[in-house]
């Protein structure tokens, strides 16, 4: 499972990255987390507001910091 | 004027994907909606009662409880502070909640779909209006810009949106209403929208599409297939409550500080002090105010109480409105962010056209009022 956190680097984006990583660690998942700050890369995903979380190519959360419970839900745990 | 990052950065907006929205879930959300509505009636009544008693309370506190003399500078400053702070914070809470409900109907994605394929003139008007209703933050400006342009929204229409979204915002309107009354708030709303429409339209006329960075056109926008979850009223109310917590939680300190500065000026700076510097007679005051405003990056919450105090001491309304619009709508951080997609001539045009619009508004108000 591959998780991408998209965000050009504002506070909320960092927060999202942190929440996702912590949730993945807590769930003991083997998912990889990638933090994407490149605007062009973000735009390619068709995302218009950040932060956004993309799990295996599908957007799960846009324009908001997810909760750990949200992330664990996406991990299927 | 704090250079704060707060204004820009992404307040929590759209909801994440909601799981378990089956039948059971919708029943649950319906009872939740009813529960919220039951709460809201007594809450609104309480809000109204407290709001009405603020003015007598501030007088009572200042002159009866604290035994301050009624004509002293200090007591006048205290009364101002004790009255204005809760008043503005209460208005802010109510309006942010209302706007939160409104915004739960609009997302950047939906706005983009509405604007795509609209003709320019109609598009400019729509984009300026949608700028108020769509949740937006400066750090999302670039992805949003790309999303608009690649979806076929004309450049000028996109700019109308980008100008209106930060400039005409609920915080500015609440503070203007609270401190100056509805006429000034309406003037700000109206002229802000008109500037966004006309400036966007003008930029469209210049046909500056080639001044976008090339890579913007090369992007193959992949659909990440994000389906908006359907929102129930309970979701919308929850969304609005989150917005209140987020925005009011963030800006209250600026409001309090701003009013404190305002109170000090109110109590101590002599009447008419600003008239010579920012009054009507000084023709250069409007352009200078705009130029000073550009490098300043503040949110409406921090600047309006100061602006209030300036006006009270004789600064001309048009000059002050121009200053405020310039601070909120034109900022260097925004220019730097937009530089990633716009080439310098287009950024310069953007600032030039908007600055010129603000200039006209400034002179117009000084002339009319």
């Amino acid at each position: 499972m591959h998780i991408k956190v998209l965000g050009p680097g504002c506070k909320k984006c960092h927060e999202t990255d942190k929440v996702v990583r912590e949730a993945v660690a807590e769930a003991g998942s083997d998912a990889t987390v990638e933090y994407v700050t490149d605007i062009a890369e973000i735009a390619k995903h068709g995302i218009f507001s950040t932060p956004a979380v993309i799990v295996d190519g599908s957007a799960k959360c846009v324009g908001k910091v997810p909760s750990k419970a949200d992330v664990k839900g996406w991990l299927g745990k | 004027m704090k250079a704060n990052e707060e204004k820009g950065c992404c307040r929590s907006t759209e909801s994440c994907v909601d799981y378990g929205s089956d039948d059971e879930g919708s029943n649950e959300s319906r009872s939740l909606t009813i529960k919220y509505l039951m709460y809201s009636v007594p809450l609104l009544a309480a809000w109204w009662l407290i709001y009405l008693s603020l003015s007598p309370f501030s007088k009572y506190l200042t002159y009866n409880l604290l035994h301050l003399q009624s004509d002293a500078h200090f007591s006048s400053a205290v009364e101002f502070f004790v009255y204005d702070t809760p008043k503005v914070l209460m208005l802010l809470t109510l309006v942010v909640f209302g706007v939160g409900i409104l915004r739960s109907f609009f997302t950047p994605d939906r706005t983009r779909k509405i604007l795509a394929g609209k003709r320019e003139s109609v598009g400019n008007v729509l984009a300026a209006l949608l700028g108020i209703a769509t949740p937006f933050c400066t750090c999302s400006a670039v992805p949003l810009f790309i999303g608009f342009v690649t979806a076929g929204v004309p450049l000028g229409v996109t700019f109308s949106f980008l100008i209106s979204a930060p400039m005409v915002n609920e915080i500015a309107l609440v503070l203007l209403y609270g401190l100056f009354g509805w006429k000034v708030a309406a003037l700000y709303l109206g002229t802000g929208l008109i500037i966004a429409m006309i400036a966007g339209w003008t930029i469209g006329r210049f046909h500056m599409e080639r001044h976008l960075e090339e890579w913007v056109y090369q992007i193959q926008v992949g659909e990440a297939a994000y389906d908006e979850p359907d929102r129930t009223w309970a979701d919308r109310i929850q969304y609005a409550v989150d917005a209140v917590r987020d925005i009011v939680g963030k800006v209250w300190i600026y409001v309090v500080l701003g009013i404190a500065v305002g109170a000090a000026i109110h109590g101590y700076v002599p009447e008419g002090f600003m008239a010579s510097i920012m009054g009507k007679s000084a023709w250069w005051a409007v352009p200078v105010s705009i130029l000073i405003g550009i490098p300043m990056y503040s949110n409406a919450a921090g600047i309006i109480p100061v602006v209030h105090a300036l006006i009270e001491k004789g600064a001309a309304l048009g000059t002050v409105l121009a200053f405020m619009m310039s601070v909120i709508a034109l900022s260097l951080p925004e220019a730097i962010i937009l530089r990633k997609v716009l080439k310098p001539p287009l950024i310069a045009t953007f600032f030039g056209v908007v600055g010129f619009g603000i200039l006209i508004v400034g002179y117009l108000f000084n002339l009319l009022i």
Side-chain angles (χ1 to χ4, degrees):
Chain A
M1 192 178 258
H2 187 61
I3 302 175
K4 282 181 181 171
V5 177
L6 309 182
C10 60
K11 209 170 114 207
K12 290 259 159 119
C13 311
H14 288 300
E15 212 175 305
T16 305
D17 185 48
K18 200 174 133 236
V19 166
V20 170
R21 283 177 201 277
E22 282 174 10
V24 167
E26 277 174 27
S29 164
D30 57 354
T32 48
V33 181
E34 185 188 353
Y35 184 28
V36 181
T37 51
D38 183 45
I39 299 272
E41 191 64 30
I42 294 171
K44 272 185 203 155
H45 287 89
I47 294 296
F48 313 119
S49 62
T50 53
V53 180
I54 293 187
V55 179
D56 285 343
S58 78
K60 292 295 186 191
C61 179
V62 175
K64 189 189 173 185
V65 181
S67 69
K68 272 189 199 171
D70 286 335
V71 181
K72 285 177 187 165
W74 305 330
L75 293 170
K77 302 230 171 178
Chain B
M1 252 129 299
K2 315 260 155 339
N4 62 78
E5 316 122 39
E6 319 263 329
K7 176 197 168 196
C9 272
C10 307
R11 63 186 200 73
S12 53
T13 50
E14 292 121 69
S15 63
C16 292
V17 178
D18 188 17
Y19 285 92
S21 52
D22 45 15
D23 280 349
E24 205 178 309
S26 76
N27 268 337
E28 201 176 288
S29 81
R30 198 169 305 144
S31 66
L32 205 57
T33 306
I34 293 168
K35 198 177 101 188
Y36 279 139
L37 287 177
M38 302 252 289
Y39 279 138
S40 65
V41 176
L43 273 178
L44 271 177
W47 187 96
W48 185 240
L49 280 176
I50 297 174
Y51 188 78
L52 286 182
S53 52
L54 283 179
S55 174
F57 173 75
S58 66
K59 285 195 168 63
Y60 178 73
L61 182 87
T62 313
Y63 302 112
N64 296 39
L65 286 183
L66 298 175
H67 300 294
L68 294 173
Q69 286 187 332
S70 60
D71 54 349
H73 286 324
F74 182 69
S75 49
S76 146
V78 168
E79 190 195 337
F80 180 89
F81 184 76
V82 173
Y83 174 57
D84 265 36
T85 311
K87 177 178 128 181
V88 167
L89 287 177
M90 285 178 74
L91 277 172
L92 195 62
T93 306
L94 192 70
V95 171
V96 168
F97 183 83
V99 171
I101 296 282
L102 174 71
R103 285 194 177 155
S104 72
F105 289 91
F106 293 89
T107 60
D109 192 43
R110 201 165 291 167
T111 299
R112 185 182 73 128
K113 280 179 189 142
I114 296 172
L115 290 178
K118 284 282 179 302
R119 280 186 303 121
E120 282 222 303
S121 43
V122 182
N124 291 120
V125 174
L126 263 180
L129 291 172
L130 285 168
I132 313 175
T134 311
F136 171 80
C137 77
T138 317
C139 70
S140 284
V142 167
L144 189 114
F145 187 93
I146 294 168
F148 275 34
V149 171
T150 50
V153 178
L155 194 59
V157 175
T158 306
F159 270 108
S160 282
F161 181 86
L162 278 183
I163 296 165
S164 145
M167 182 156 67
V168 186
N169 71 70
E170 71 276 20
I171 300 171
L173 288 176
V174 169
L175 288 163
L176 286 176
Y177 171 76
L179 298 173
F180 303 107
W182 67 271
K183 278 184 193 159
V184 174
L187 277 179
Y188 184 82
L189 174 68
T191 51
L193 283 173
I194 288 170
I195 288 179
M197 291 168 192
I198 295 180
W201 185 83
T202 311
I203 292 170
R205 293 277 69 70
F206 290 150
H207 298 293
M208 299 189 76
E209 281 76 5
R210 67 198 156 86
H211 292 291
L212 292 182
E213 291 292 342
E214 282 77 16
W215 64 265
V216 173
Y217 289 112
Q218 287 153 10
I219 283 181
Q220 294 296 316
V221 175
E223 287 299 321
Y226 179 67
D227 292 323
E228 291 291 327
D230 281 338
R231 285 191 172 132
T232 62
W233 271 98
D235 292 337
R236 295 186 197 286
I237 292 171
Q238 188 58 51
Y239 174 88
V241 170
D242 285 346
V244 168
R245 196 175 298 149
D246 206 40
I247 296 184
V248 179
K250 231 184 244 170
V251 305
W252 72 269
I253 183 73
Y254 299 102
V255 174
V256 172
L257 286 177
I259 294 173
V261 171
I265 298 179
H266 176 88
Y268 289 100
V269 178
E271 294 291 331
F273 174 76
M274 293 306 294
S276 57
I277 310 170
M278 292 179 89
K280 285 186 191 184
S281 55
W283 66 268
W284 44 265
V286 179
V288 168
S289 300
I290 294 172
L291 287 180
I292 295 175
I294 292 178
M296 281 187 183
Y297 183 51
S298 167
N299 54 19
I303 197 160
I304 293 183
V306 177
V307 154
H308 178 219
L310 291 179
I311 287 191
E312 207 170 51
K313 299 304 172 188
L317 184 66
T319 309
V320 170
L321 275 184
F323 174 65
M324 197 182 120
M325 284 180 164
S326 161
V327 170
I328 302 179
L330 298 175
S331 70
L332 283 185
E334 197 186 7
I336 292 164
I337 291 174
L338 286 173
R339 175 65 191 89
K340 288 181 182 152
V341 278
L342 310 180
K343 288 181 184 168
L346 187 45
I347 294 186
T349 310
F350 170 48
F351 273 61
V353 170
V354 176
F356 188 70
I358 296 175
L359 189 71
I360 293 176
V361 166
Y363 279 128
L364 202 64
F365 280 125
N366 282 351
L367 209 68
L368 293 178
I369 296 172

